Amino acid sequence: MRPPVARKPLPPHEEVQTLPHYLVGEALDGVLYISSPPTARSKGLTSLLGRAPAGWWWTAAPRLLMGQDVLVPDLAGWVGGRPATMGPGAFIDHRPDWICEVLSPASAKLDLATKLPRYARAGIQHAWVINPVNHVLEVFRLDHERWVLKHAFVGEERVRAEPFEGVELALSPFWPPC
């Protein structure tokens, strides 16, 4: 039997690429965060994917490369169509125009305290935060690298929210059954 070969540790943004397909890796400030795929968190996102307004392209759980950081929002959208750098398993280095995070007890702290400020610094113009436990959709717009809360929808059945005011969205698929 051969002795194990010492392996030089990879930087976290490169380590993300070595994870098995059934794990999600994010690298923030040199720290690797590993989680399960967002299937349970994003139950209602599939209804959004089929309703992209004209001129928008959306995808679930993209791996966004922002400098040395890798962030994976639950959903991201680009005006003008699919980013040129998009490919299976590839990082996307073209910043989205909109992101959506669906909070869970395991993800809320990282999503709110760490990732949202990074999205603002990157210049992403719109962010939605969905809290399925409290039945809240918060809609934010960027203003000088700061998020401004434009609207909070609480338990409504159907809403119109920027930047997709032309699309009526049912919130009920995001809420867990009572």
Side-chain angles (χ1 to χ4, degrees), residues 2 5 7-8 18 25 46 49 51-52 56 76 83 86-87 99 104 112 120 124 127-128 140 144 149-151 157 173:
R2 296 171 70 184
V5 177
R7 181 179 82 116
K8 182 179 176 187
T18 68
T46 54
L49 286 169
R51 302 186 62 195
W56 281 84
M86 184 70 183
I99 60 90
S104 72
L112 295 173
I124 296 170
W128 287 7
F140 296 93
H144 298 94
L149 178 65
K150 299 309 288 183
H151 205 290
E157 287 297 311

Side-chain angles (χ1 to χ4, degrees), residues 25-175:
E26 296 183 279
L28 298 142
D29 291 329
V31 177
L32 179 64
Y33 296 87
I34 301 172
S35 62
S36 300
T39 53
R41 290 193 319 237
S42 57
K43 174 186 169 198
L45 293 180
T46 54
S47 65
L48 285 176
L49 286 169
R51 302 186 62 195
W56 281 84
W57 182 79
W58 295 349
T59 189
R63 295 192 311 168
L64 304 176
L65 184 60
M66 297 180 174
Q68 296 293 305
D69 292 337
V70 177
L71 290 92
V72 182
D74 291 303
L75 193 63
W78 290 260
V79 174
R82 183 182 177 119
T85 56
M86 184 70 183
F91 290 125
I92 300 173
D93 60 2
H94 180 75
R95 89 178 139 91
D97 298 287
W98 169 83
I99 60 90
C100 179
E101 292 287 2
V102 180
L103 302 181
S104 72
S107 73
K109 183 178 176 181
L110 182 66
D111 289 345
L112 295 173
T114 306
K115 291 170 65 177
L116 274 179
R118 287 270 165 32
Y119 295 138
R121 284 195 302 272
I124 296 170
Q125 293 298 303
H126 301 277
W128 287 7
V129 175
I130 297 173
N131 184 328
V133 173
N134 295 316
H135 296 200
V136 176
L137 163 62
E138 293 177 296
V139 177
F140 296 93
R141 184 185 317 142
L142 190 64
D143 182 20
H144 298 94
E145 291 191 13
R146 287 186 36 236
W147 291 117
V148 175
L149 178 65
K150 299 309 288 183
H151 205 290
F153 298 98
V154 181
E156 274 89 349
E157 287 297 311
R158 299 200 172 274
V159 301
R160 293 182 184 273
E162 67 177 66
F164 312 115
E165 295 92 340
V167 176
E168 187 174 78
L169 173 66
L171 294 180
S172 56
F174 295 105
W175 313 148

